[in-house]
Amino acid sequence: RELVVSFGEMLIDFVPTVAGVSLAEAPAFVKAPGGAPANVAIAVARLGGGAAFVGKLGDDEFGRMLANILRDNGVDAGGVVFDSGARTALAFVTLRADGEREFMFYRNPSADMLLTADELKVDVIKRAAVFHYGSISLIAEPCRTAHLHAMKVAKEAGALLSYDPNLREALWPSLDEARTKILSIWDQADIVKVSEVELEFLTGINSVEDDVAMKLWRPTFKLMLVTLGDQGCKYYTKDFRGTVPSYKVQQVDTTGAGDAFIGSLLRKIVQDPSALQDKTKLEGAIKFANACGAITATKKGAIPSLPKEDEVLRLMEKA
Ligand code: ATP
């Protein structure tokens, strides 16, 4: 049983055809399929692993296009359902010259938000070795209830639960609600991954020192990761912890780096779950995941940048 099942949103990012402009200045946009949970599923499949995606898309041209992208990338799309009354979510996204990201979401509501617990393909969820999710699916009902139910089904079927909150401040009614709801399912996870920004958001402390990270640690966790961009990541388990540096690359666009990182790490963990108890094996898996994140940061977009295994091994050998 090596299947990674990823739950949540899949959408189309529209990104400017030229770099470093605001959304208002952008002369034109291109489609960039994404949504962190979908990226994670594709990251796993790109490495040759079993992956499935569970979520809802609009029964429209874009929704069908996204389902085809999952299939074309080797992801089991049997957990995808379509909504005939709502559109596939869209987001206009840009990285301005000053380094700030601008987002504009079209979700009023979008199909992903309308997934109900009844519509969940539980047979797909029950096959998961790892069930992975974010927090965007927690924002609005009925998807929130579907999300909570899916976690329960996965847990009862013996899956490890993996949580990457993937904070998108603009999608929440308030930052307080974001923090409360993100933390409302914190204790149930087996594996959690946060970025430096999320660590600060959730703890209120601007530091990646171990004592700050440990505020997010729970005794039931098997693994907690704090990603540090080009610095690699810190990791924590019950028995050991450490920092694993990343690889030196020419950074172009970090979109999807976090998804490549967690997807590849989950792939390694389902292949050899004993890595969660073995420092050498775990650090080896994290090195691999860092390399996947690094490669993804060298190319534009998320899905096109997710690496195959040979590319990852080449970067690791070269270093
Ligand atoms: P995202 O940016 O996708 O929302 P995130 O903030 O978790 O997620 P990062 O910390 O940017 O993602 O990257 C995840 C991992 O990818 C890092 O821990 C690191 O291993 C690798 N990585 C990202 N950017 C670089 C880089 N410029 N050079 C080397 N490795 C990188």
Side-chain angles (χ1 to χ4, degrees), residues 164 166 168 193-195 227-230 232-233 246-249 251 254-259 261 289-291 293-294 297:
D164 174 356
N166 242 299
R168 289 286 176 272
K193 165 202 166 283
V194 290
S195 65
T227 56
L228 309 170
D230 63 1
C233 77
S246 191
Y247 294 84
K248 205 159 180 52
V249 293
Q251 180 178 311
T254 60
T255 308
D259 305 329
F261 171 86
N290 281 343

Side-chain angles (χ1 to χ4, degrees), residues 36 39 101 164 166-168 193-198 225-234 244-262 286-298 302 315:
N39 292 344
R101 241 172 239 286
D164 174 356
N166 242 299
L167 175 66
R168 289 286 176 272
K193 165 202 166 283
V194 290
S195 65
E196 285 176 88
V197 172
E198 288 157 350
L225 302 139
V226 179
T227 56
L228 309 170
D230 63 1
Q231 299 299 300
C233 77
K234 291 188 158 200
V244 184
S246 191
Y247 294 84
K248 205 159 180 52
V249 293
Q250 196 69 45
Q251 180 178 311
V252 172
D253 171 12
T254 60
T255 308
D259 305 329
F261 171 86
I262 189 66
I286 293 173
K287 272 186 197 150
F288 184 86
N290 281 343
C292 286
I295 291 169
T296 305
T298 63
L315 174 65

Side-chain angles (χ1 to χ4, degrees), residues 166-200:
N166 242 299
L167 175 66
R168 289 286 176 272
E169 296 182 355
L171 289 181
W172 292 91
S174 75
L175 295 184
D176 272 344
E177 185 165 340
R179 200 175 291 106
T180 308
K181 288 228 172 108
I182 286 172
L183 291 174
S184 69
I185 58 165
W186 201 254
D187 297 7
Q188 276 126 283
D190 297 292
I191 300 169
V192 297
K193 165 202 166 283
V194 290
S195 65
E196 285 176 88
V197 172
E198 288 157 350
L199 179 62
E200 179 180 356

Side-chain angles (χ1 to χ4, degrees), residues 74-226:
V75 174
D76 178 345
V80 174
V81 292
F82 293 94
D83 194 300
S84 53
R87 293 297 193 206
T88 301
L90 308 180
F92 289 79
V93 186
T94 190
L95 182 62
R96 294 191 324 220
D98 62 8
E100 284 301 305
R101 241 172 239 286
E102 277 181 6
F103 289 98
M104 239 171 100
F105 293 97
Y106 284 72
R107 290 165 35 102
N108 47 348
S110 48
D112 56 296
M113 300 160 76
L114 298 175
L115 179 69
T116 66
D118 287 349
E119 290 171 326
L120 283 172
K121 301 283 192 216
V122 287
D123 50 321
V124 177
I125 298 170
K126 285 180 180 169
R127 282 167 34 221
V130 170
F131 184 70
H132 177 80
Y133 46 85
S135 70
I136 289 171
S137 40
L138 289 176
I139 298 174
E141 292 291 1
C143 184
R144 177 180 167 78
T145 297
H147 179 147
L148 300 176
H149 186 64
M151 281 171 62
K152 187 163 175 282
V153 170
K155 189 105 193 175
E156 283 172 5
L160 289 175
L161 301 190
S162 162
Y163 186 21
D164 174 356
N166 242 299
L167 175 66
R168 289 286 176 272
E169 296 182 355
L171 289 181
W172 292 91
S174 75
L175 295 184
D176 272 344
E177 185 165 340
R179 200 175 291 106
T180 308
K181 288 228 172 108
I182 286 172
L183 291 174
S184 69
I185 58 165
W186 201 254
D187 297 7
Q188 276 126 283
D190 297 292
I191 300 169
V192 297
K193 165 202 166 283
V194 290
S195 65
E196 285 176 88
V197 172
E198 288 157 350
L199 179 62
E200 179 180 356
F201 178 76
L202 294 173
T203 62
I205 306 168
N206 177 14
S207 157
V208 291
E209 292 300 319
D210 287 346
D211 58 329
V212 177
M214 286 309 282
K215 290 185 189 298
L216 294 181
W217 174 262
R218 300 291 181 271
T220 47
F221 283 1
K222 297 201 163 54
L223 176 63
M224 182 170 80
L225 302 139
V226 179

Side-chain angles (χ1 to χ4, degrees), residues 32-33 39 42 46 73 296 299-307 311:
N39 292 344
I42 294 174
R46 183 86 32 100
N73 282 284
T296 305
K299 295 174 208 165
K300 262 185 79 167
I303 293 172
S305 325
L306 298 168
E311 204 180 340

